Amino acid sequence: MKLYSINTGFFKLDGGAMFGVVPKSMWNKLNPADENNMCNWALRSLLIQTNDRLILTDTGMGNKQDLKFFSHYFLNGNDSLDNSLAKYGFNKKEITDVFHTHLHFDHCGGSIIKENDQLVSAFPNATFWSNKKHWEWAVHPNEREKASFLKENILPLQESGKLKFVETPLTDFDENNLLGSIEFSPELKIRFVNGHTNAMMLPQINYNGRTIVYVADLLPSVAHIPLPYIMGYDMFPYTTLKEKTSFLQEAAKNNYVLFFEHDPINECCTVHQTEKGIRVKEIFSLNSL
Ligand SMILES: [Zn+2]
């Protein structure tokens, strides 16, 4: 098996929204805001190459939206899904599976492209993965979350005829069943969390003797490791708090590698227990593993 970090670009989100209850005087040192209070974030996918599959986890925000949309989110930088795949000698036609941690636009926008005014799969040979619980949540969005669930990203996944659901191990918000998991393939386990959105999935991979977890929006960046640093976007912040607590203890104990989707600088880190709580131990890039 081989893993590749695929940066699909950077985008901007309001710093206050990204750090929730943490005051700007503290978060601004970690990810300095621009004159509009916006901070820059990565859109980093993970490509998992196994013997017979090429699995892409999340696809960034894509580029099919209009100028007004991008005037809010400022897609920037030189990286794109296509050129990051090409850097390793891959192209979108070769992808066998597109795995969506969840269906917020910055995680699945690149899965669907506009071709002759039609919304079609960007990956003609790939199966799209979600789970039934999250899918229902995303296609009937609540008022607070619906700006993140865009019809043009979601419905065409189903219309492509290539959408499949992985099993979900959870009953609704069961406190004893946080971080349930299922086996997706021999190399890949899927962890479930419910604080950011309903039934978000985190791939967990055994790789060169290490356990790597794609932490998606449970921990968007290294700056979000201290427990109170929870995004204002989260639907159930108290659930996120419990999930972070439990996951970070497990990660520290087992020396997991956390792979960050949104950290603008850091790709991976390990964590350890300190006097102040669980904090970063080492920061490194994926290709150093
Ligand atoms: Zn999200």
Side-chain angles (χ1 to χ4, degrees), residues 157-223:
L157 297 173
Q158 192 169 47
E159 285 154 12
S160 75
K162 297 283 193 69
L163 176 67
K164 286 192 182 170
F165 294 141
V166 303
E167 267 178 71
T168 48
L170 297 174
T171 52
D172 269 352
F173 312 119
D174 176 354
E175 283 205 21
N176 301 316
N177 210 3
L178 292 170
L179 302 167
S181 69
I182 57 146
E183 204 91 347
F184 181 76
S185 72
E187 310 84 357
L188 190 54
K189 191 167 147 178
I190 308 297
R191 314 288 301 260
F192 284 75
V193 281
N194 292 293
H196 176 64
T197 184
N198 201 358
M200 180 167 74
M201 302 191 280
L202 312 177
Q204 177 171 315
I205 306 132
N206 290 324
Y207 184 57
N208 296 342
R210 303 295 297 270
T211 298
I212 300 179
V213 184
Y214 186 85
V215 286
D217 284 353
L218 175 66
L219 294 160
S221 73
V222 166

Coordinates of all heavy atoms in Angstrom, one line a residue, residues 157-223:
L157 N -24.3 13.0 -7.2 CA -23.6 11.7 -6.8 C -24.5 10.6 -7.0 O -24.1 9.5 -7.4 CB -23.1 11.8 -5.3 CG -22.2 12.9 -4.9 CD1 -22.0 12.9 -3.4 CD2 -20.8 12.7 -5.6
Q158 N -25.8 10.8 -6.6 CA -26.8 9.7 -6.7 C -27.2 9.5 -8.2 O -27.3 8.4 -8.7 CB -28.0 10.1 -5.9 CG -29.0 8.9 -5.7 CD -30.0 9.3 -4.7 OE1 -30.6 10.4 -4.7 NE2 -30.2 8.4 -3.8
E159 N -27.3 10.6 -8.9 CA -27.7 10.5 -10.3 C -26.7 9.8 -11.2 O -27.0 9.3 -12.2 CB -28.0 12.0 -10.9 CG -29.3 12.5 -10.4 CD -29.3 14.1 -10.3 OE1 -28.4 14.7 -10.9 OE2 -30.2 14.6 -9.7
S160 N -25.4 9.8 -10.7 CA -24.4 9.1 -11.5 C -24.6 7.6 -11.5 O -24.0 6.9 -12.2 CB -23.0 9.4 -10.9 OG -22.8 8.7 -9.6
G161 N -25.4 7.1 -10.5 CA -25.6 5.7 -10.4 C -24.5 5.0 -9.7 O -24.5 3.7 -9.6
K162 N -23.5 5.7 -9.2 CA -22.3 5.1 -8.6 C -22.2 5.3 -7.1 O -21.2 5.1 -6.5 CB -21.1 5.8 -9.3 CG -20.9 5.5 -10.8 CD -20.4 4.1 -11.0 CE -19.9 3.9 -12.4 NZ -18.7 4.6 -12.8
L163 N -23.3 5.8 -6.5 CA -23.3 6.1 -5.1 C -23.5 4.8 -4.3 O -24.5 4.1 -4.5 CB -24.3 7.1 -4.7 CG -24.5 7.5 -3.2 CD1 -23.2 8.2 -2.7 CD2 -25.7 8.4 -3.0
K164 N -22.6 4.5 -3.3 CA -22.9 3.4 -2.4 C -22.7 3.9 -0.9 O -22.0 4.9 -0.7 CB -21.9 2.3 -2.6 CG -22.1 1.5 -3.9 CD -21.3 0.3 -3.9 CE -21.5 -0.5 -5.2 NZ -20.5 -1.6 -5.3
F165 N -23.4 3.2 0.0 CA -23.3 3.6 1.4 C -22.5 2.5 2.2 O -22.7 1.3 2.0 CB -24.7 3.6 2.0 CG -25.6 4.8 1.4 CD1 -26.9 4.6 1.2 CD2 -25.0 6.0 1.2 CE1 -27.7 5.6 0.7 CE2 -25.8 7.0 0.6 CZ -27.1 6.8 0.4
V166 N -21.6 3.0 3.0 CA -21.0 2.0 4.0 C -22.0 1.8 5.1 O -22.8 2.7 5.4 CB -19.6 2.5 4.5 CG1 -18.7 2.7 3.3 CG2 -19.7 3.7 5.3
E167 N -21.8 0.7 5.8 CA -22.7 0.5 7.0 C -22.4 1.5 8.1 O -21.2 2.0 8.2 CB -22.3 -0.9 7.6 CG -23.0 -2.0 7.1 CD -22.4 -3.3 7.8 OE1 -22.6 -3.4 9.0 OE2 -21.8 -4.0 7.1
T168 N -23.3 1.8 8.9 CA -23.0 2.7 10.1 C -23.2 1.9 11.3 O -24.2 1.1 11.5 CB -24.0 3.9 10.1 OG1 -25.3 3.4 10.0 CG2 -23.7 4.9 9.1
P169 N -22.3 2.0 12.3 CA -22.3 1.1 13.5 C -23.1 1.8 14.6 O -23.3 1.2 15.6 CB -20.8 1.1 13.9 CG -20.3 2.4 13.4 CD -21.0 2.7 12.2
L170 N -23.6 3.0 14.4 CA -24.1 3.8 15.5 C -25.6 3.9 15.6 O -26.3 3.9 14.6 CB -23.6 5.2 15.4 CG -22.1 5.4 15.5 CD1 -21.8 6.9 15.3 CD2 -21.6 5.0 16.9
T171 N -26.1 3.9 16.8 CA -27.5 4.4 17.0 C -27.3 5.9 17.2 O -26.2 6.4 17.4 CB -28.1 3.7 18.2 OG1 -27.2 3.9 19.3 CG2 -28.3 2.2 17.9
D172 N -28.4 6.6 17.3 CA -28.3 8.1 17.4 C -27.6 8.6 18.6 O -28.1 8.3 19.7 CB -29.7 8.7 17.3 CG -30.1 9.0 15.9 OD1 -29.2 8.9 15.0 OD2 -31.3 9.4 15.7
F173 N -26.5 9.3 18.4 CA -25.8 10.0 19.5 C -25.7 9.2 20.8 O -26.0 9.6 21.9 CB -26.5 11.3 19.8 CG -26.7 12.1 18.5 CD1 -28.0 12.4 18.1 CD2 -25.7 12.4 17.7 CE1 -28.2 13.1 17.0 CE2 -25.9 13.1 16.5 CZ -27.2 13.4 16.1
D174 N -25.3 7.9 20.7 CA -25.2 7.0 21.8 C -23.9 7.3 22.5 O -22.8 7.1 21.9 CB -25.3 5.6 21.3 CG -25.1 4.6 22.4 OD1 -24.7 5.0 23.5 OD2 -25.2 3.4 22.1
E175 N -23.9 7.8 23.7 CA -22.7 8.2 24.4 C -21.7 7.1 24.6 O -20.5 7.3 24.7 CB -23.1 8.8 25.8 CG -23.6 10.2 25.6 CD -23.4 11.0 26.9 OE1 -22.5 10.6 27.7 OE2 -24.1 12.0 27.1
N176 N -22.3 5.9 24.7 CA -21.4 4.7 24.9 C -20.8 4.2 23.6 O -19.9 3.3 23.6 CB -22.1 3.6 25.6 CG -22.7 4.1 26.9 OD1 -22.0 4.7 27.6 ND2 -23.9 3.8 27.1
N177 N -21.2 4.8 22.5 CA -20.9 4.2 21.2 C -20.2 5.3 20.4 O -20.2 5.2 19.2 CB -22.1 3.7 20.5 CG -21.8 2.5 19.6 OD1 -20.6 2.1 19.6 ND2 -22.8 2.0 18.9
L178 N -19.6 6.3 21.0 CA -18.8 7.3 20.3 C -17.7 6.6 19.6 O -17.1 5.6 20.1 CB -18.2 8.3 21.2 CG -19.2 9.2 21.9 CD1 -18.5 10.0 23.0 CD2 -19.9 10.1 20.9
L179 N -17.3 7.1 18.4 CA -16.2 6.5 17.7 C -16.3 5.1 17.4 O -15.4 4.3 17.5 CB -14.9 6.8 18.5 CG -14.5 8.2 18.8 CD1 -13.4 8.3 19.9 CD2 -14.1 9.0 17.6
G180 N -17.5 4.7 17.0 CA -17.7 3.3 16.5 C -17.0 3.2 15.2 O -16.5 4.2 14.6
S181 N -16.8 2.0 14.8 CA -16.0 1.8 13.5 C -16.5 0.6 12.8 O -17.1 -0.3 13.3 CB -14.5 1.7 13.8 OG -14.3 0.4 14.5
I182 N -16.2 0.6 11.5 CA -16.5 -0.6 10.6 C -15.2 -0.9 9.8 O -14.4 0.0 9.6 CB -17.7 -0.4 9.7 CG1 -17.4 0.9 8.8 CG2 -19.0 -0.3 10.5 CD1 -18.0 0.8 7.5
E183 N -15.2 -2.0 9.2 CA -14.1 -2.4 8.3 C -14.5 -2.1 6.9 O -15.5 -2.6 6.4 CB -13.8 -3.9 8.5 CG -12.5 -4.3 8.1 CD -11.5 -4.3 9.3 OE1 -11.8 -3.7 10.4 OE2 -10.4 -4.9 9.1
F184 N -13.8 -1.2 6.2 CA -14.1 -0.8 4.8 C -13.4 -1.8 3.8 O -14.0 -2.2 2.8 CB -13.7 0.6 4.6 CG -14.1 1.1 3.2 CD1 -15.4 1.4 2.8 CD2 -13.0 1.3 2.2 CE1 -15.6 1.9 1.5 CE2 -13.3 1.8 1.0 CZ -14.6 2.1 0.6
S185 N -12.1 -2.0 4.1 CA -11.4 -3.0 3.3 C -10.3 -3.5 4.3 O -10.2 -3.0 5.4 CB -10.7 -2.3 2.1 OG -9.7 -1.4 2.5
P186 N -9.5 -4.5 3.9 CA -8.5 -5.0 4.9 C -7.6 -4.0 5.4 O -7.2 -4.1 6.6 CB -7.8 -6.1 4.0 CG -8.7 -6.4 2.9 CD -9.5 -5.2 2.6
E187 N -7.3 -3.0 4.6 CA -6.3 -2.0 5.1 C -7.0 -0.8 5.8 O -6.3 0.1 6.3 CB -5.6 -1.4 3.9 CG -5.0 -2.3 2.9 CD -5.9 -2.8 1.8 OE1 -7.1 -2.5 1.9 OE2 -5.5 -3.6 1.0
L188 N -8.3 -0.7 5.7 CA -8.9 0.5 6.0 C -10.1 0.3 6.9 O -11.1 -0.4 6.6 CB -9.4 1.1 4.6 CG -9.9 2.5 4.6 CD1 -8.9 3.5 5.2 CD2 -10.2 2.9 3.1
K189 N -10.1 1.0 8.0 CA -11.2 1.0 9.0 C -11.8 2.4 9.0 O -11.1 3.4 8.7 CB -10.5 0.7 10.3 CG -11.4 0.4 11.5 CD -10.5 -0.2 12.6 CE -11.1 0.2 13.9 NZ -10.4 -0.3 15.1
I190 N -13.1 2.5 9.2 CA -13.8 3.8 9.2 C -14.3 4.1 10.6 O -15.0 3.3 11.2 CB -15.0 3.8 8.2 CG1 -14.6 3.3 6.8 CG2 -15.6 5.2 8.2 CD1 -13.6 4.1 6.1
R191 N -13.9 5.2 11.1 CA -14.3 5.7 12.5 C -15.5 6.6 12.2 O -15.5 7.4 11.3 CB -13.2 6.4 13.2 CG -11.8 5.8 13.1 CD -11.8 4.6 14.0 NE -12.1 4.9 15.4 CZ -11.2 5.0 16.4 NH1 -9.9 4.9 16.1 NH2 -11.5 5.3 17.6
F192 N -16.5 6.6 13.1 CA -17.6 7.5 13.0 C -17.7 8.5 14.2 O -17.4 8.1 15.3 CB -18.9 6.6 13.0 CG -19.2 5.9 11.7 CD1 -18.5 4.8 11.4 CD2 -20.1 6.4 10.9 CE1 -18.7 4.2 10.2 CE2 -20.4 5.8 9.7 CZ -19.7 4.7 9.3
V193 N -17.9 9.7 13.8 CA -18.1 10.8 14.8 C -19.3 11.6 14.5 O -19.7 11.7 13.3 CB -16.9 11.7 15.0 CG1 -15.8 11.0 15.8 CG2 -16.3 12.1 13.6
N194 N -20.0 12.2 15.5 CA -21.3 12.9 15.2 C -21.3 14.4 15.7 O -22.4 15.0 15.5 CB -22.4 12.1 16.0 CG -22.6 10.8 15.4 OD1 -23.0 10.7 14.2 ND2 -22.2 9.7 16.1
G195 N -20.2 14.9 16.2 CA -20.3 16.3 16.7 C -20.3 17.3 15.6 O -21.1 18.3 15.7
H196 N -19.4 17.2 14.6 CA -19.3 18.2 13.6 C -20.6 18.2 12.7 O -21.1 19.2 12.4 CB -18.0 17.9 12.8 CG -17.9 18.9 11.6 ND1 -17.8 20.2 11.7 CD2 -17.9 18.6 10.2 CE1 -17.7 20.8 10.5 NE2 -17.8 19.8 9.6
T197 N -21.0 17.0 12.3 CA -22.2 16.8 11.6 C -22.6 15.3 11.8 O -21.8 14.6 12.4 CB -22.0 17.0 10.1 OG1 -23.2 16.9 9.3 CG2 -20.9 16.1 9.5
N198 N -23.8 15.0 11.4 CA -24.2 13.6 11.7 C -23.5 12.6 10.9 O -23.4 12.7 9.7 CB -25.7 13.6 11.3 CG -26.5 12.5 12.0 OD1 -25.9 11.7 12.8 ND2 -27.7 12.4 11.8
A199 N -22.9 11.6 11.6 CA -22.2 10.5 11.0 C -21.1 10.8 10.0 O -21.0 10.4 8.8 CB -23.2 9.5 10.3
M200 N -20.1 11.7 10.5 CA -18.9 11.9 9.7 C -18.0 10.7 9.8 O -18.0 10.1 10.9 CB -18.2 13.2 10.2 CG -16.9 13.5 9.5 SD -16.3 15.2 9.9 CE -15.7 15.0 11.5
M201 N -17.3 10.4 8.8 CA -16.4 9.2 8.8 C -14.9 9.6 8.7 O -14.6 10.4 7.8 CB -16.8 8.3 7.6 CG -18.3 7.9 7.6 SD -18.6 6.6 6.4 CE -18.8 7.6 4.9
L202 N -14.1 8.9 9.5 CA -12.7 9.2 9.5 C -11.9 7.9 9.1 O -12.0 6.9 9.9 CB -12.2 9.6 10.9 CG -13.0 10.7 11.6 CD1 -12.4 11.0 13.0 CD2 -13.0 12.0 10.7
P203 N -11.3 7.9 7.9 CA -10.5 6.7 7.6 C -9.3 6.5 8.5 O -8.6 7.4 8.9 CB -10.0 7.0 6.2 CG -10.9 8.1 5.7 CD -11.3 8.9 6.9
Q204 N -9.1 5.2 8.9 CA -8.0 4.8 9.7 C -7.2 3.7 9.0 O -7.8 2.7 8.6 CB -8.5 4.4 11.1 CG -7.4 3.9 12.0 CD -7.9 3.6 13.4 OE1 -8.6 4.4 13.9 NE2 -7.5 2.5 13.9
I205 N -5.9 4.0 8.8 CA -5.1 3.1 7.9 C -3.9 2.6 8.6 O -3.2 3.4 9.3 CB -4.7 3.9 6.7 CG1 -5.9 4.6 6.0 CG2 -3.9 3.1 5.7 CD1 -5.7 6.0 5.7
N206 N -3.6 1.3 8.4 CA -2.3 0.8 8.9 C -1.3 0.9 7.8 O -1.5 0.4 6.7 CB -2.5 -0.7 9.4 CG -3.3 -0.8 10.6 OD1 -3.3 0.1 11.5 ND2 -4.2 -1.8 10.7
Y207 N -0.2 1.6 8.1 CA 0.7 2.0 7.0 C 2.1 1.9 7.6 O 2.4 2.7 8.5 CB 0.4 3.4 6.5 CG 1.2 3.9 5.4 CD1 1.2 3.2 4.2 CD2 1.8 5.1 5.5 CE1 1.9 3.7 3.1 CE2 2.6 5.6 4.4 CZ 2.6 4.9 3.2 OH 3.3 5.4 2.1
N208 N 2.9 1.1 7.0 CA 4.3 1.0 7.4 C 4.5 0.8 9.0 O 5.3 1.5 9.6 CB 5.2 2.2 7.0 CG 5.3 2.2 5.4 OD1 5.0 1.2 4.8 ND2 5.6 3.4 4.9
G209 N 3.6 0.0 9.5 CA 3.6 -0.2 11.0 C 3.0 0.9 11.8 O 3.1 0.8 13.0
R210 N 2.5 2.0 11.2 CA 1.9 3.1 11.9 C 0.4 3.1 11.7 O -0.1 2.6 10.7 CB 2.4 4.4 11.5 CG 3.9 4.6 11.6 CD 4.4 4.5 13.0 NE 4.0 5.6 13.8 CZ 4.6 6.8 13.9 NH1 5.7 7.0 13.3 NH2 4.1 7.7 14.8
T211 N -0.4 3.7 12.6 CA -1.8 3.9 12.4 C -2.0 5.4 12.0 O -1.6 6.2 12.8 CB -2.6 3.5 13.7 OG1 -2.4 2.1 13.9 CG2 -4.1 3.8 13.5
I212 N -2.6 5.6 10.9 CA -2.8 7.0 10.4 C -4.3 7.2 10.4 O -5.1 6.4 9.9 CB -2.3 7.1 9.0 CG1 -0.8 6.8 9.0 CG2 -2.6 8.5 8.5 CD1 -0.2 7.0 7.7
V213 N -4.7 8.3 11.0 CA -6.2 8.7 11.0 C -6.3 10.0 10.2 O -5.7 11.0 10.5 CB -6.8 8.8 12.4 CG1 -8.3 9.0 12.3 CG2 -6.5 7.5 13.2
Y214 N -7.2 10.0 9.2 CA -7.5 11.2 8.5 C -8.6 11.9 9.3 O -9.8 11.5 9.4 CB -8.1 10.8 7.1 CG -8.4 11.9 6.1 CD1 -7.4 12.4 5.3 CD2 -9.7 12.4 6.0 CE1 -7.6 13.4 4.4 CE2 -9.9 13.4 5.1 CZ -8.9 13.9 4.3 OH -9.2 14.9 3.3
V215 N -8.2 13.0 10.0 CA -9.1 13.5 11.1 C -10.1 14.5 10.6 O -11.0 15.0 11.4 CB -8.3 14.1 12.3 CG1 -7.7 12.9 13.1 CG2 -7.2 15.0 11.8
A216 N -10.1 14.8 9.3 CA -11.2 15.7 8.7 C -11.6 16.8 9.6 O -10.7 17.6 10.1 CB -12.3 14.8 8.3
D217 N -12.9 17.0 9.8 CA -13.3 18.1 10.6 C -13.5 17.8 12.1 O -14.0 18.6 12.8 CB -14.6 18.7 10.0 CG -14.3 19.5 8.8 OD1 -13.2 19.7 8.4 OD2 -15.3 19.9 8.1
L218 N -13.0 16.7 12.5 CA -12.9 16.5 14.0 C -11.8 17.3 14.6 O -12.0 18.0 15.6 CB -12.7 15.0 14.3 CG -12.5 14.7 15.8 CD1 -13.7 14.9 16.6 CD2 -12.0 13.3 16.1
L219 N -10.7 17.4 13.8 CA -9.5 18.2 14.2 C -9.0 18.9 12.9 O -8.2 18.3 12.2 CB -8.4 17.3 14.8 CG -8.7 16.7 16.1 CD1 -7.8 15.5 16.4 CD2 -8.6 17.7 17.3
P220 N -9.6 20.0 12.5 CA -9.2 20.6 11.2 C -7.7 20.9 11.1 O -7.2 20.9 10.0 CB -10.1 21.9 11.1 CG -11.1 21.8 12.2 CD -10.6 20.8 13.2
S221 N -7.1 21.3 12.2 CA -5.7 21.7 12.1 C -5.0 21.4 13.5 O -5.7 21.1 14.5 CB -5.6 23.2 11.8 OG -5.9 24.0 13.0
V222 N -3.7 21.5 13.5 CA -2.9 21.4 14.7 C -3.4 22.3 15.8 O -3.5 22.0 17.0 CB -1.4 21.6 14.4 CG1 -0.6 21.8 15.7 CG2 -0.8 20.4 13.6
A223 N -3.8 23.5 15.4 CA -4.3 24.5 16.3 C -5.6 24.1 17.1 O -5.9 24.6 18.1 CB -4.6 25.8 15.6

